[in-house]
Amino acid sequence: DHFPHVDPYPRNIMKWSASDVFDLVFQRMKHDALMRYNKNSGGVSGNDHDHDDDDDGSSGKKMILPDFKLRENDYVLGERKMGGNAQTITGNGWLHHTSFLWNYDQDNMSYLTLPSKRPDYRGDRSHDEFLVKLESVYGNRNDNGSNGDGDGDVATVLGSMSKEVFFHHVKSSCQESFDLEEAS
């Protein structure tokens, strides 16, 4: 009854959650990251669909952040999956669950095999090539200045953007989209 405009089928639920909830979250994450980048580096910012190398008179450094989108049955940043989801559908009710990959132990990826059933856009890419950590995109800084992938440049410039910022944007997006009450 709460979402009569969302037909109770997995793809419809994912399209709704991508457009009405998560798109706003990732727009805000991108905005925050680009604002921090510009503040800390004097660089220009862009989207992953901005491929011109024109300098606007600033330092000339450009930071490109991938766009969030729904690709087949996956939420992706650019061309890389950054989470998993599932739905339970019974009668006229449904529950949608998403787990985003903020970080994970890279060594554990070696235990995973290439699944026989996979989305077309994945092709034969390994888990390392197919998945992306949100932390590596939004530059959460470790004590040593790196973002966990051995590339400290973006992380050093962005500073302390953290999963707490991500949680904040998820919460505020949900509060704007739904009638929520906090419980402890």
Side-chain angles (χ1 to χ4, degrees):
D1 293 344
H2 296 297
F3 303 101
H5 61 287
V6 182
D7 289 330
Y9 299 99
R11 180 69 179 173
N12 297 340
I13 294 168
M14 290 190 67
K15 283 168 57 174
W16 164 79
S17 64
S19 65
D20 288 13
V21 180
F22 298 129
D23 187 55
L24 182 57
V25 171
F26 288 99
Q27 285 178 31
R28 289 174 175 171
M29 289 295 290
K30 180 182 278 192
H31 177 265
D32 284 359
L34 295 175
M35 293 299 288
R36 284 191 169 127
Y37 180 78
N38 288 334
K39 177 182 172 194
N40 295 337
S41 76
V44 284
S45 58
N47 298 315
D48 67 351
H49 56 269
D50 295 337
H51 292 292
D52 63 345
D53 291 324
D54 294 338
D55 189 312
D56 70 351
S58 67
S59 72
K61 280 184 106 176
K62 192 168 192 174
M63 178 184 183
I64 306 296
L65 289 174
D67 287 327
F68 166 79
K69 58 189 167 193
L70 176 62
R71 180 99 193 250
E72 296 183 40
N73 291 315
D74 295 331
Y75 298 128
V76 298
L77 287 178
E79 296 298 316
R80 297 179 72 188
K81 182 176 179 175
M82 44 74 170
N85 63 79
Q87 299 80 29
T88 296
I89 302 168
T90 59
N92 62 358
W94 51 266
L95 172 70
H96 176 74
H97 160 82
T98 299
S99 297
F100 289 106
L101 296 173
W102 183 261
N103 195 349
Y104 52 85
D105 185 341
Q106 203 72 32
D107 292 338
N108 290 337
M109 292 294 125
S110 66
Y111 298 111
L112 301 174
T113 59
L114 190 63
S116 58
K117 183 179 176 186
R118 57 190 178 269
D120 290 338
Y121 80 98
R122 177 178 182 161
D124 291 331
R125 291 186 287 168
S126 70
H127 283 80
D128 286 341
E129 296 168 327
F130 178 61
L131 300 175
V132 63
K133 300 174 188 178
L134 292 177
E135 179 181 66
S136 70
V137 174
Y138 297 109
N140 186 28
R141 216 166 83 173
N142 296 334
D143 291 338
N144 65 3
S146 82
N147 63 7
D149 283 341
D151 177 10
D153 294 340
V154 172
T156 301
V157 173
L158 287 179
S160 61
M161 197 156 177
S162 66
K163 63 184 166 189
E164 286 75 21
V165 173
F166 177 68
F167 292 145
H168 167 77
H169 288 311
V170 170
K171 181 180 175 181
S172 64
S173 177
C174 289
Q175 287 173 327
E176 291 172 25
S177 299
F178 311 111
D179 183 22
L180 299 180
E181 293 180 28
E182 277 204 44
S184 54

